[in-house]
């Protein structure tokens, strides 16, 4: 009988088509079986299993498809019916800022003026009398009183030390800080900003868009410690985020990412946006861009140079967005605005924006603009249209924030091929306060995802994470599933639904954090969906994102985060 075995094998091979020439499959590094794999492909098709080898998917389909790649060294994950989604791409984070801040002064959420005063008093006791006290980031929309603290309230907390309440594009100062900065009743407003004064002409302590007046007094930060940046990235991995776009770095910040990668400590994929310093002379802008040691897109699957960024206006949470219509007297308490014609500010002139976009476009860079108000968006679209005139190309210039949308603006953006990067969690956190101040009609389309999409504009939803390490309690929560909850329900933190017309489906919201998000860094062929040949990035969830109750979305957990077929995070029950 043993002599007959070779003949029997040859006979079987001859009778089974392809078997004689079929090579044994080289084993995968990782296989997942028995899952519910949401591929986010063109048809949003589902699979049961997947396999990854050399960092990329080599099989997506049935258990049998994936089992063919199991070898002695293959890591096999039991899906147990859990949902698997592509790795989340957060297209707007400030991990460098978070890391730098946490290394010097860990973030604390201050939720009332009394709590703010207590924090200042505690700091004052620990510092020399001439040391400036800068608070953690505080927005009036997040304070119980829904207003900026007054100079007098800050004086009560620290009568002898200079205090600045940091609200990003607005600052509240006490009397000592005003004197130290040389701000008096005779001070004139800087270009694009305002020193707010009372009826008697005295500074109230509120400054809008005047960061340069205080830059000398802000404590300097040393180079961001690699360990601190690594820690921020680890929090992202635990949240299910596998790729980020750092949305506003200096060249030194980009080099910090390079150092992290060189030390083999970069655990997620990063594209780094470079800020363009404001300049009156376009020649200075061009010199800056040409001096950069990299070009747009330089790098690899782990780290690459992203777009150039300008800042066009301020922020709606502090009342400096540049709006088409006046803020109105309803905004008096929240923003401290008494002028019925007040519309906010442009940080750059239209000519400066047009120049920056023209230079970046001509030199081959994708350009992005921080712009929050609808009139600000008009000015940025003017700059983009002028830059593209006579020089078409797939640059994917991007509006960052663009909170107040209407069908006409959306159609124009679509025609220009412009993308939108925006944050539904700001609706969740701030729409109640904004509705009271600006009127429900104006806020009904605040972060209007459905309006953008109906016009054909590609949108990525993200978090704008900038302070704090808790995914739900950070200044801007970086929990991606809270973002999806906000996009699909339009519920605020209080439970109110201001207007449901801007709701998007769960499939669309998930696509905006995966497949659509990949287009913002020109990575759609490599990431954003689960398919053969794409990078092996995926997340195993503890519930089904497409069918779980709506409230459950906020508490979805990443059981496992995998990047390139390697487990980067795994939840360990306590």
């Amino acid at each position: 009988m043993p002599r007959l075995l070779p003949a029997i094998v040859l006979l079987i091979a001859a009778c089974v088509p392809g078997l004689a020439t079929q090579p044994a499959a080289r084993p995968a590094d990782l296989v997942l079986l028995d899952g519910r794999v949401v591929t986010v492909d063109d048809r949003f098709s589902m699979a049961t299993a997947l396999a990854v080898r050399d960092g990329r998917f080599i099989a997506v389909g049935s258990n049998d498809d994936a089992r063919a790649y199991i070898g002695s060294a293959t890591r096999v994950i039991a899906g147990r019916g859990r949902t698997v989604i592509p790795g989340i791409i957060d297209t707007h984070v400030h991990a460098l800022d978070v890391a730098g801040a946490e290394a010097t002064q860990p973030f604390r959420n201050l939720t009332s003026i009394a709590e703010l005063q207590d924090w200042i008093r505690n700091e004052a006791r620990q510092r020399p009398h001439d040391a400036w006290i800068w608070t953690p980031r505080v927005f009036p929309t997040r304070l119980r009183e829904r207003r900026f603290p007054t100079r007098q309230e800050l004086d009560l907390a620290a009568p002898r030390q200079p205090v600045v309440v940091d609200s990003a594009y607005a600052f509240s100062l006490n009397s000592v800080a005003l004197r130290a900065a040389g701000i008096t009743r005779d001070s004139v407003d800087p270009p694009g900003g305002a020193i707010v004064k009372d009826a008697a002409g005295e500074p109230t302590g509120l400054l809008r868009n005047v960061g340069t007046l205080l830059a000398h007094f802000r404590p300097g930060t040393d180079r961001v410690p690699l360990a601190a940046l690594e820690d921020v990235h680890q929090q992202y991995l635990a949240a299910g985020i596998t790729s980020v776009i750092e949305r506003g770095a200096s060249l030194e910040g980009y080099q910090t990412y390079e150092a992290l990668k060189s030390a083999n400590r970069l655990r997620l994929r990063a594209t780094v946006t470079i800020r363009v310093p404001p300049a009156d002379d376009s020649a200075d802008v061009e010199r800056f861009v040409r001096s950069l040691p990299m070009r747009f897109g330089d790098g690899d699957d782990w780290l690459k140079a992203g777009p150039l960024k300008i800042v066009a206006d301020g922020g709606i949470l502090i009342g400096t967005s540049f709006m088409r219509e006046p803020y109105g007297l309803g905004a008096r308490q929240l923003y401290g605005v008494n002028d019925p014609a007040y519309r906010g500010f442009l940080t750059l002139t239209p000519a400066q924006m047009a120049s920056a976009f023209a230079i970046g476009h001509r030199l081959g860079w994708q350009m992005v603009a921080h712009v929050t108000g609808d009139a600000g968006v008009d000015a940025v679209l003017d700059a983009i249209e002028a830059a593209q005139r006579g020089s078409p190309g797939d640059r994917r210039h991007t509006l960052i924030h663009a909170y107040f949308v209407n069908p006409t603006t959306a159609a124009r953006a679509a025609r220009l091929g412009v993308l939108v990067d925006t944050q539904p969690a700001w609706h969740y956190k701030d729409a109640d306060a904004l509705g009271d101040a600006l009127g429900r009609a104006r806020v009904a389309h605040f972060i209007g995802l459905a309006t953008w999409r109906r016009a054909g504009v590609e949108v990525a939803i993200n978090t704008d994470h900038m302070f704090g390490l808790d995914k739900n309690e950070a200044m801007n929560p970086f929990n991606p599933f809270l973002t999806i909850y906000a996009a699909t329900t339009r519920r605020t933190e209080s439970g109110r639904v201001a207007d449901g017309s801007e709701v998007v489906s769960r499939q669309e919201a998930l696509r905006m954090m995966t497949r659509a998000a990949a287009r913002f860094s020109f990575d759609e062929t490599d990431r954003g969906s689960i398919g053969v040949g794409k990078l092996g990035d995926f997340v195993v969830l503890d519930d089904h994102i497409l069918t779980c109750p709506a409230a459950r979305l906020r508490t979805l957990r990443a059981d496992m985060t995998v990047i390139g077929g390697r487990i980067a995070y795994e939840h360990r029950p306590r």
Side-chain angles (χ1 to χ4, degrees), residues 300-331:
D300 57 22
D301 292 335
W302 286 96
L303 175 63
K304 66 178 182 177
L308 301 178
K309 178 181 181 179
I310 65 168
V311 176
D313 69 354
I316 196 59
L317 304 191
I318 60 312
T320 56
S321 299
F322 188 50
M323 303 293 289
R324 288 180 174 179
E325 300 296 327
Y327 279 64
L329 293 181

Short mmCIF file of all heavy atoms in Angstrom, two decimals, residues 300-331:
data_model
loop_
_atom_site.label_atom_id
_atom_site.label_comp_id
_atom_site.label_asym_id
_atom_site.label_seq_id
_atom_site.Cartn_x
_atom_site.Cartn_y
_atom_site.Cartn_z
N ASP A 300 6.42 58.66 4.58
CA ASP A 300 6.00 57.29 4.32
C ASP A 300 4.66 57.02 5.00
O ASP A 300 3.96 57.95 5.39
CB ASP A 300 7.07 56.30 4.79
CG ASP A 300 7.42 56.45 6.27
OD1 ASP A 300 6.59 56.98 7.04
OD2 ASP A 300 8.52 56.02 6.67
N ASP A 301 4.32 55.72 5.14
CA ASP A 301 3.02 55.37 5.71
C ASP A 301 2.89 55.77 7.17
O ASP A 301 1.77 55.80 7.70
CB ASP A 301 2.80 53.85 5.60
CG ASP A 301 2.63 53.39 4.17
OD1 ASP A 301 2.23 54.20 3.34
OD2 ASP A 301 2.92 52.19 3.90
N TRP A 302 3.98 56.04 7.84
CA TRP A 302 3.94 56.37 9.26
C TRP A 302 4.01 57.86 9.53
O TRP A 302 3.37 58.36 10.45
CB TRP A 302 5.08 55.65 10.00
CG TRP A 302 4.80 54.20 10.16
CD1 TRP A 302 5.23 53.19 9.36
CD2 TRP A 302 3.98 53.58 11.17
NE1 TRP A 302 4.73 51.98 9.80
CE2 TRP A 302 3.96 52.19 10.91
CE3 TRP A 302 3.27 54.07 12.27
CZ2 TRP A 302 3.26 51.29 11.71
CZ3 TRP A 302 2.56 53.18 13.07
CH2 TRP A 302 2.57 51.80 12.78
N LEU A 303 4.78 58.60 8.74
CA LEU A 303 4.93 60.03 8.98
C LEU A 303 5.18 60.73 7.66
O LEU A 303 6.04 60.30 6.87
CB LEU A 303 6.11 60.29 9.93
CG LEU A 303 6.46 61.76 10.18
CD1 LEU A 303 5.31 62.49 10.87
CD2 LEU A 303 7.73 61.87 11.01
N LYS A 304 4.43 61.80 7.43
CA LYS A 304 4.69 62.57 6.22
C LYS A 304 4.29 64.03 6.41
O LYS A 304 3.55 64.39 7.33
CB LYS A 304 3.96 61.97 5.03
CG LYS A 304 2.46 62.02 5.06
CD LYS A 304 1.94 61.42 3.77
CE LYS A 304 0.42 61.48 3.71
NZ LYS A 304 -0.09 60.97 2.42
N ALA A 305 4.82 64.85 5.53
CA ALA A 305 4.54 66.29 5.56
C ALA A 305 3.16 66.53 4.96
O ALA A 305 2.86 66.09 3.85
CB ALA A 305 5.60 67.04 4.76
N GLY A 306 2.34 67.23 5.72
CA GLY A 306 1.00 67.56 5.27
C GLY A 306 0.93 68.95 4.68
O GLY A 306 1.91 69.48 4.17
N PRO A 307 -0.24 69.59 4.79
CA PRO A 307 -0.45 70.89 4.14
C PRO A 307 0.13 72.04 4.94
O PRO A 307 0.67 71.87 6.03
CB PRO A 307 -1.98 70.98 4.09
CG PRO A 307 -2.44 70.18 5.27
CD PRO A 307 -1.46 69.05 5.40
N LEU A 308 -0.01 73.23 4.35
CA LEU A 308 0.32 74.48 5.03
C LEU A 308 -0.98 75.10 5.54
O LEU A 308 -2.02 75.02 4.88
CB LEU A 308 1.01 75.45 4.08
CG LEU A 308 2.31 74.96 3.43
CD1 LEU A 308 2.84 76.02 2.47
CD2 LEU A 308 3.35 74.63 4.49
N LYS A 309 -0.89 75.76 6.71
CA LYS A 309 -2.10 76.28 7.36
C LYS A 309 -2.01 77.78 7.61
O LYS A 309 -0.98 78.28 8.05
CB LYS A 309 -2.32 75.56 8.70
CG LYS A 309 -3.53 76.05 9.49
CD LYS A 309 -3.66 75.30 10.81
CE LYS A 309 -4.87 75.75 11.60
NZ LYS A 309 -4.99 74.99 12.88
N ILE A 310 -3.13 78.46 7.33
CA ILE A 310 -3.27 79.86 7.72
C ILE A 310 -4.48 79.97 8.65
O ILE A 310 -5.34 79.07 8.69
CB ILE A 310 -3.44 80.81 6.52
CG1 ILE A 310 -4.75 80.52 5.78
CG2 ILE A 310 -2.25 80.71 5.59
CD1 ILE A 310 -5.13 81.58 4.77
N VAL A 311 -4.56 81.06 9.40
CA VAL A 311 -5.69 81.33 10.29
C VAL A 311 -6.42 82.55 9.77
O VAL A 311 -5.87 83.66 9.75
CB VAL A 311 -5.21 81.54 11.75
CG1 VAL A 311 -6.38 81.92 12.64
CG2 VAL A 311 -4.52 80.28 12.27
N ALA A 312 -7.68 82.36 9.35
CA ALA A 312 -8.42 83.44 8.68
C ALA A 312 -9.25 84.28 9.64
O ALA A 312 -9.42 85.48 9.43
CB ALA A 312 -9.33 82.84 7.60
N ASP A 313 -9.84 83.64 10.67
CA ASP A 313 -10.60 84.40 11.65
C ASP A 313 -10.43 83.77 13.02
O ASP A 313 -9.49 82.99 13.24
CB ASP A 313 -12.08 84.55 11.24
CG ASP A 313 -12.87 83.24 11.30
OD1 ASP A 313 -12.26 82.17 11.56
OD2 ASP A 313 -14.10 83.28 11.10
N GLY A 314 -11.32 84.09 13.96
CA GLY A 314 -11.17 83.60 15.32
C GLY A 314 -12.04 82.39 15.61
O GLY A 314 -12.01 81.41 14.87
N GLY A 315 -12.86 82.46 16.68
CA GLY A 315 -13.66 81.32 17.08
C GLY A 315 -15.04 81.74 17.53
O GLY A 315 -15.22 82.79 18.16
N ILE A 316 -16.04 80.92 17.23
CA ILE A 316 -17.42 81.26 17.59
C ILE A 316 -17.66 81.08 19.09
O ILE A 316 -18.56 81.71 19.66
CB ILE A 316 -18.42 80.44 16.76
CG1 ILE A 316 -19.83 81.06 16.83
CG2 ILE A 316 -18.44 78.98 17.18
CD1 ILE A 316 -19.90 82.49 16.34
N LEU A 317 -16.88 80.26 19.77
CA LEU A 317 -17.10 80.06 21.19
C LEU A 317 -16.74 81.29 22.00
O LEU A 317 -17.19 81.45 23.13
CB LEU A 317 -16.32 78.85 21.71
CG LEU A 317 -16.57 77.50 21.02
CD1 LEU A 317 -15.93 76.37 21.80
CD2 LEU A 317 -18.06 77.25 20.83
N ILE A 318 -15.93 82.17 21.42
CA ILE A 318 -15.55 83.38 22.15
C ILE A 318 -15.94 84.65 21.38
O ILE A 318 -15.58 85.74 21.78
CB ILE A 318 -14.03 83.39 22.53
CG1 ILE A 318 -13.12 83.32 21.44
CG2 ILE A 318 -13.73 82.37 23.61
CD1 ILE A 318 -12.81 82.69 20.32
N GLY A 319 -16.69 84.47 20.29
CA GLY A 319 -17.27 85.63 19.62
C GLY A 319 -16.33 86.39 18.72
O GLY A 319 -16.46 87.61 18.58
N THR A 320 -15.38 85.70 18.07
CA THR A 320 -14.50 86.40 17.14
C THR A 320 -14.57 85.85 15.72
O THR A 320 -13.81 86.26 14.86
CB THR A 320 -13.04 86.36 17.63
OG1 THR A 320 -12.64 85.01 17.84
CG2 THR A 320 -12.89 87.13 18.94
N SER A 321 -15.49 84.91 15.46
CA SER A 321 -15.71 84.46 14.09
C SER A 321 -16.19 85.63 13.23
O SER A 321 -16.93 86.50 13.70
CB SER A 321 -16.78 83.36 14.05
OG SER A 321 -16.40 82.24 14.80
N PHE A 322 -15.78 85.63 11.96
CA PHE A 322 -16.20 86.70 11.05
C PHE A 322 -17.48 86.26 10.36
O PHE A 322 -17.48 85.34 9.55
CB PHE A 322 -15.10 86.99 10.04
CG PHE A 322 -15.36 88.20 9.18
CD1 PHE A 322 -15.73 89.41 9.76
CD2 PHE A 322 -15.24 88.14 7.80
CE1 PHE A 322 -15.98 90.53 8.98
CE2 PHE A 322 -15.48 89.25 7.01
CZ PHE A 322 -15.85 90.45 7.60
N MET A 323 -18.60 86.94 10.70
CA MET A 323 -19.93 86.52 10.27
C MET A 323 -20.51 87.46 9.22
O MET A 323 -20.19 88.65 9.18
CB MET A 323 -20.86 86.48 11.48
CG MET A 323 -20.37 85.58 12.62
SD MET A 323 -20.38 83.82 12.19
CE MET A 323 -22.15 83.50 12.17
N ARG A 324 -21.39 86.92 8.39
CA ARG A 324 -22.08 87.74 7.39
C ARG A 324 -23.04 88.73 8.06
O ARG A 324 -23.14 89.88 7.66
CB ARG A 324 -22.87 86.85 6.43
CG ARG A 324 -22.03 86.05 5.46
CD ARG A 324 -22.93 85.21 4.58
NE ARG A 324 -22.19 84.51 3.53
CZ ARG A 324 -22.75 83.70 2.65
NH1 ARG A 324 -24.06 83.48 2.70
NH2 ARG A 324 -22.02 83.10 1.73
N GLU A 325 -23.77 88.26 9.06
CA GLU A 325 -24.74 89.09 9.76
C GLU A 325 -24.20 89.44 11.15
O GLU A 325 -23.45 88.66 11.75
CB GLU A 325 -26.07 88.35 9.89
CG GLU A 325 -26.71 87.98 8.57
CD GLU A 325 -27.10 89.20 7.75
OE1 GLU A 325 -27.45 90.23 8.38
OE2 GLU A 325 -27.03 89.14 6.51
N PRO A 326 -24.58 90.59 11.69
CA PRO A 326 -24.13 90.95 13.03
C PRO A 326 -24.52 89.89 14.07
O PRO A 326 -25.52 89.20 13.91
CB PRO A 326 -24.85 92.27 13.30
CG PRO A 326 -25.13 92.84 11.95
CD PRO A 326 -25.39 91.66 11.07
N TYR A 327 -23.71 89.80 15.10
CA TYR A 327 -24.00 88.86 16.18
C TYR A 327 -25.34 89.15 16.82
O TYR A 327 -26.06 88.24 17.23
CB TYR A 327 -22.89 88.93 17.24
CG TYR A 327 -21.65 88.15 16.89
CD1 TYR A 327 -20.87 88.50 15.79
CD2 TYR A 327 -21.26 87.07 17.65
CE1 TYR A 327 -19.73 87.79 15.46
CE2 TYR A 327 -20.11 86.35 17.34
CZ TYR A 327 -19.35 86.71 16.24
OH TYR A 327 -18.22 85.99 15.93
N GLY A 328 -25.71 90.42 16.95
CA GLY A 328 -26.98 90.79 17.55
C GLY A 328 -26.87 90.99 19.06
O GLY A 328 -25.94 90.52 19.71
N LEU A 329 -27.86 91.65 19.60
CA LEU A 329 -27.82 91.99 21.03
C LEU A 329 -28.01 90.77 21.92
O LEU A 329 -27.69 90.81 23.11
CB LEU A 329 -28.87 93.06 21.33
CG LEU A 329 -28.60 94.42 20.68
CD1 LEU A 329 -29.69 95.42 21.05
CD2 LEU A 329 -27.23 94.95 21.10
N GLY A 330 -28.52 89.68 21.36
CA GLY A 330 -28.63 88.45 22.14
C GLY A 330 -27.27 87.90 22.56
O GLY A 330 -27.16 87.10 23.48
N ALA A 331 -26.23 88.36 21.85
CA ALA A 331 -24.87 87.88 22.14
C ALA A 331 -24.17 88.72 23.20
O ALA A 331 -23.02 88.46 23.53
CB ALA A 331 -24.04 87.90 20.86
#
